Amino acid sequence: MNNFREHPDFALLESLALVRGDFAIAGSGPLYVRGLIDDIGDVDVVARGAAWREVCRLGTVVDAPFSTVHRVCLFGGKIEVLDGWFPELWDVDQLIDGADVIDGFRLVRLDVVTATKRMLQRPRDRTHLELLAARQA
């Protein structure tokens, strides 16, 4: 594990002071926090309740590019907050409540990260899947 709090994007997320129980870090963030990848392009966050309401107050709500959820991009896209994560597969409450907690931040479980990356199959997703497979071997 690395000192992820030193990454500027995580500092931006922390500056929002969102209710910790109402969001979880998704996307590649859980890999970065665990030291499995060296950097991230942004921080994806799944939010509900008070955290989602606060984010909506801070930015513009638009349709997300994947699935039927909505998103708010903050800090020039460095923080992307969504009100769900492929809801046809995962309930937002289950994702957040079942998340791993590392240094006070909720992180969606690695099985969710793996399944998401298998669905999306972008070049970086394939690279991340190879890293996850090597970790399990």
Side-chain angles (χ1 to χ4, degrees):
M1 194 166 12
N2 59 28
N3 191 356
F4 69 94
R5 287 173 174 266
E6 292 179 1
H7 192 286
D9 294 352
F10 279 94
L12 291 172
L13 174 61
E14 199 155 22
S15 77
L16 295 173
L18 301 175
V19 174
R20 291 287 173 99
D22 275 352
F23 74 91
I25 297 166
S28 298
L31 302 179
Y32 179 74
V33 169
R34 288 178 173 87
L36 299 174
I37 58 175
D38 293 331
D39 202 6
I40 51 173
D42 65 359
V43 177
D44 296 323
V45 175
V46 180
R48 66 178 175 198
W52 178 249
R53 286 190 299 275
E54 177 63 11
V55 167
C56 290
R57 190 182 69 73
L58 297 172
T60 303
V61 179
V62 298
D63 292 337
F66 304 106
S67 194
T68 59
V69 300
H70 303 95
R71 72 176 174 174
V72 175
C73 292
L74 301 171
F75 304 108
K78 291 294 186 180
I79 307 295
E80 184 175 341
V81 185
L82 303 107
D83 65 353
W85 193 259
F86 299 94
E88 59 277 7
L89 299 175
W90 298 288
D91 174 79
V92 70
D93 291 325
Q94 291 172 336
L95 276 179
I96 294 170
D97 294 337
D100 297 323
V101 179
I102 296 178
D103 199 15
F105 281 95
R106 292 176 183 264
L107 309 167
V108 299
R109 294 184 330 265
L110 287 181
D111 63 306
V112 173
V113 174
T114 300
T116 301
K117 290 183 172 293
R118 281 189 185 134
M119 283 187 312
L120 296 175
Q121 286 293 318
R122 299 166 296 191
R124 70 177 176 259
D125 297 320
R126 290 191 290 275
T127 300
H128 293 167
L129 286 167
E130 290 172 10
L131 292 168
L132 285 163
R135 180 181 188 254
Q136 293 175 346

PDB file of all heavy atoms in Angstrom, residues 103-116:
ATOM      1  N   ASP A 103      -7.664   3.401   5.618  1.00  0.00           N
ATOM      2  CA  ASP A 103      -7.297   4.743   6.084  1.00  0.00           C
ATOM      3  C   ASP A 103      -8.483   5.712   6.027  1.00  0.00           C
ATOM      4  O   ASP A 103      -8.348   6.858   5.614  1.00  0.00           O
ATOM      5  CB  ASP A 103      -6.110   5.273   5.277  1.00  0.00           C
ATOM      6  CG  ASP A 103      -5.390   6.411   5.979  1.00  0.00           C
ATOM      7  OD1 ASP A 103      -5.607   6.608   7.192  1.00  0.00           O
ATOM      8  OD2 ASP A 103      -4.623   7.120   5.302  1.00  0.00           O
ATOM      9  N   GLY A 104      -9.643   5.217   6.422  1.00  0.00           N
ATOM     10  CA  GLY A 104     -10.831   6.059   6.514  1.00  0.00           C
ATOM     11  C   GLY A 104     -11.622   6.217   5.233  1.00  0.00           C
ATOM     12  O   GLY A 104     -12.687   6.835   5.246  1.00  0.00           O
ATOM     13  N   PHE A 105     -11.135   5.688   4.120  1.00  0.00           N
ATOM     14  CA  PHE A 105     -11.857   5.780   2.856  1.00  0.00           C
ATOM     15  C   PHE A 105     -12.461   4.433   2.492  1.00  0.00           C
ATOM     16  O   PHE A 105     -11.797   3.399   2.627  1.00  0.00           O
ATOM     17  CB  PHE A 105     -10.924   6.215   1.717  1.00  0.00           C
ATOM     18  CG  PHE A 105     -10.637   7.680   1.699  1.00  0.00           C
ATOM     19  CD1 PHE A 105      -9.497   8.182   2.316  1.00  0.00           C
ATOM     20  CD2 PHE A 105     -11.496   8.569   1.078  1.00  0.00           C
ATOM     21  CE1 PHE A 105      -9.219   9.533   2.307  1.00  0.00           C
ATOM     22  CE2 PHE A 105     -11.231   9.934   1.068  1.00  0.00           C
ATOM     23  CZ  PHE A 105     -10.092  10.411   1.685  1.00  0.00           C
ATOM     24  N   ARG A 106     -13.694   4.467   2.010  1.00  0.00           N
ATOM     25  CA  ARG A 106     -14.331   3.251   1.508  1.00  0.00           C
ATOM     26  C   ARG A 106     -13.876   3.043   0.063  1.00  0.00           C
ATOM     27  O   ARG A 106     -13.896   3.982  -0.730  1.00  0.00           O
ATOM     28  CB  ARG A 106     -15.848   3.371   1.559  1.00  0.00           C
ATOM     29  CG  ARG A 106     -16.398   3.403   2.964  1.00  0.00           C
ATOM     30  CD  ARG A 106     -17.919   3.613   2.950  1.00  0.00           C
ATOM     31  NE  ARG A 106     -18.413   3.721   4.287  1.00  0.00           N
ATOM     32  CZ  ARG A 106     -18.923   2.702   4.984  1.00  0.00           C
ATOM     33  NH1 ARG A 106     -19.008   1.511   4.425  1.00  0.00           N
ATOM     34  NH2 ARG A 106     -19.346   2.881   6.209  1.00  0.00           N
ATOM     35  N   LEU A 107     -13.512   1.799  -0.242  1.00  0.00           N
ATOM     36  CA  LEU A 107     -13.083   1.422  -1.592  1.00  0.00           C
ATOM     37  C   LEU A 107     -13.941   0.259  -2.052  1.00  0.00           C
ATOM     38  O   LEU A 107     -14.057  -0.739  -1.323  1.00  0.00           O
ATOM     39  CB  LEU A 107     -11.622   0.973  -1.594  1.00  0.00           C
ATOM     40  CG  LEU A 107     -10.615   1.901  -0.929  1.00  0.00           C
ATOM     41  CD1 LEU A 107      -9.302   1.183  -0.721  1.00  0.00           C
ATOM     42  CD2 LEU A 107     -10.409   3.127  -1.785  1.00  0.00           C
ATOM     43  N   VAL A 108     -14.537   0.368  -3.253  1.00  0.00           N
ATOM     44  CA  VAL A 108     -15.307  -0.780  -3.723  1.00  0.00           C
ATOM     45  C   VAL A 108     -14.382  -1.993  -3.753  1.00  0.00           C
ATOM     46  O   VAL A 108     -13.167  -1.874  -3.963  1.00  0.00           O
ATOM     47  CB  VAL A 108     -15.975  -0.542  -5.095  1.00  0.00           C
ATOM     48  CG1 VAL A 108     -16.959   0.612  -5.033  1.00  0.00           C
ATOM     49  CG2 VAL A 108     -14.972  -0.335  -6.184  1.00  0.00           C
ATOM     50  N   ARG A 109     -14.964  -3.143  -3.486  1.00  0.00           N
ATOM     51  CA  ARG A 109     -14.178  -4.378  -3.401  1.00  0.00           C
ATOM     52  C   ARG A 109     -13.488  -4.687  -4.736  1.00  0.00           C
ATOM     53  O   ARG A 109     -13.958  -4.307  -5.808  1.00  0.00           O
ATOM     54  CB  ARG A 109     -15.078  -5.540  -3.008  1.00  0.00           C
ATOM     55  CG  ARG A 109     -15.647  -5.436  -1.600  1.00  0.00           C
ATOM     56  CD  ARG A 109     -16.462  -6.668  -1.225  1.00  0.00           C
ATOM     57  NE  ARG A 109     -17.111  -7.316  -2.346  1.00  0.00           N
ATOM     58  CZ  ARG A 109     -18.376  -7.087  -2.719  1.00  0.00           C
ATOM     59  NH1 ARG A 109     -19.121  -6.228  -2.062  1.00  0.00           N
ATOM     60  NH2 ARG A 109     -18.888  -7.730  -3.742  1.00  0.00           N
ATOM     61  N   LEU A 110     -12.382  -5.405  -4.653  1.00  0.00           N
ATOM     62  CA  LEU A 110     -11.616  -5.736  -5.860  1.00  0.00           C
ATOM     63  C   LEU A 110     -12.393  -6.624  -6.821  1.00  0.00           C
ATOM     64  O   LEU A 110     -12.171  -6.551  -8.025  1.00  0.00           O
ATOM     65  CB  LEU A 110     -10.280  -6.385  -5.486  1.00  0.00           C
ATOM     66  CG  LEU A 110      -9.236  -5.434  -4.903  1.00  0.00           C
ATOM     67  CD1 LEU A 110      -7.951  -6.190  -4.592  1.00  0.00           C
ATOM     68  CD2 LEU A 110      -8.958  -4.263  -5.830  1.00  0.00           C
ATOM     69  N   ASP A 111     -13.341  -7.428  -6.330  1.00  0.00           N
ATOM     70  CA  ASP A 111     -14.139  -8.231  -7.263  1.00  0.00           C
ATOM     71  C   ASP A 111     -15.024  -7.336  -8.132  1.00  0.00           C
ATOM     72  O   ASP A 111     -15.249  -7.625  -9.305  1.00  0.00           O
ATOM     73  CB  ASP A 111     -14.963  -9.303  -6.536  1.00  0.00           C
ATOM     74  CG  ASP A 111     -15.986  -8.728  -5.576  1.00  0.00           C
ATOM     75  OD1 ASP A 111     -15.609  -7.934  -4.699  1.00  0.00           O
ATOM     76  OD2 ASP A 111     -17.170  -9.099  -5.696  1.00  0.00           O
ATOM     77  N   VAL A 112     -15.473  -6.215  -7.589  1.00  0.00           N
ATOM     78  CA  VAL A 112     -16.256  -5.252  -8.369  1.00  0.00           C
ATOM     79  C   VAL A 112     -15.354  -4.557  -9.385  1.00  0.00           C
ATOM     80  O   VAL A 112     -15.727  -4.389 -10.553  1.00  0.00           O
ATOM     81  CB  VAL A 112     -16.944  -4.227  -7.441  1.00  0.00           C
ATOM     82  CG1 VAL A 112     -17.629  -3.129  -8.250  1.00  0.00           C
ATOM     83  CG2 VAL A 112     -17.936  -4.923  -6.522  1.00  0.00           C
ATOM     84  N   VAL A 113     -14.164  -4.161  -8.958  1.00  0.00           N
ATOM     85  CA  VAL A 113     -13.202  -3.537  -9.872  1.00  0.00           C
ATOM     86  C   VAL A 113     -12.898  -4.489 -11.024  1.00  0.00           C
ATOM     87  O   VAL A 113     -12.924  -4.104 -12.195  1.00  0.00           O
ATOM     88  CB  VAL A 113     -11.904  -3.146  -9.131  1.00  0.00           C
ATOM     89  CG1 VAL A 113     -10.850  -2.634 -10.107  1.00  0.00           C
ATOM     90  CG2 VAL A 113     -12.188  -2.089  -8.064  1.00  0.00           C
ATOM     91  N   THR A 114     -12.636  -5.748 -10.698  1.00  0.00           N
ATOM     92  CA  THR A 114     -12.311  -6.745 -11.720  1.00  0.00           C
ATOM     93  C   THR A 114     -13.472  -6.929 -12.700  1.00  0.00           C
ATOM     94  O   THR A 114     -13.271  -6.908 -13.920  1.00  0.00           O
ATOM     95  CB  THR A 114     -11.965  -8.093 -11.053  1.00  0.00           C
ATOM     96  OG1 THR A 114     -10.834  -7.897 -10.199  1.00  0.00           O
ATOM     97  CG2 THR A 114     -11.642  -9.151 -12.077  1.00  0.00           C
ATOM     98  N   ALA A 115     -14.676  -7.079 -12.188  1.00  0.00           N
ATOM     99  CA  ALA A 115     -15.839  -7.271 -13.061  1.00  0.00           C
ATOM    100  C   ALA A 115     -16.065  -6.059 -13.956  1.00  0.00           C
ATOM    101  O   ALA A 115     -16.383  -6.201 -15.147  1.00  0.00           O
ATOM    102  CB  ALA A 115     -17.081  -7.560 -12.221  1.00  0.00           C
ATOM    103  N   THR A 116     -15.887  -4.869 -13.410  1.00  0.00           N
ATOM    104  CA  THR A 116     -16.067  -3.643 -14.192  1.00  0.00           C
ATOM    105  C   THR A 116     -15.037  -3.573 -15.318  1.00  0.00           C
ATOM    106  O   THR A 116     -15.367  -3.283 -16.474  1.00  0.00           O
ATOM    107  CB  THR A 116     -15.927  -2.401 -13.285  1.00  0.00           C
ATOM    108  OG1 THR A 116     -16.906  -2.476 -12.254  1.00  0.00           O
ATOM    109  CG2 THR A 116     -16.134  -1.126 -14.080  1.00  0.00           C
TER     110      THR A 116
END
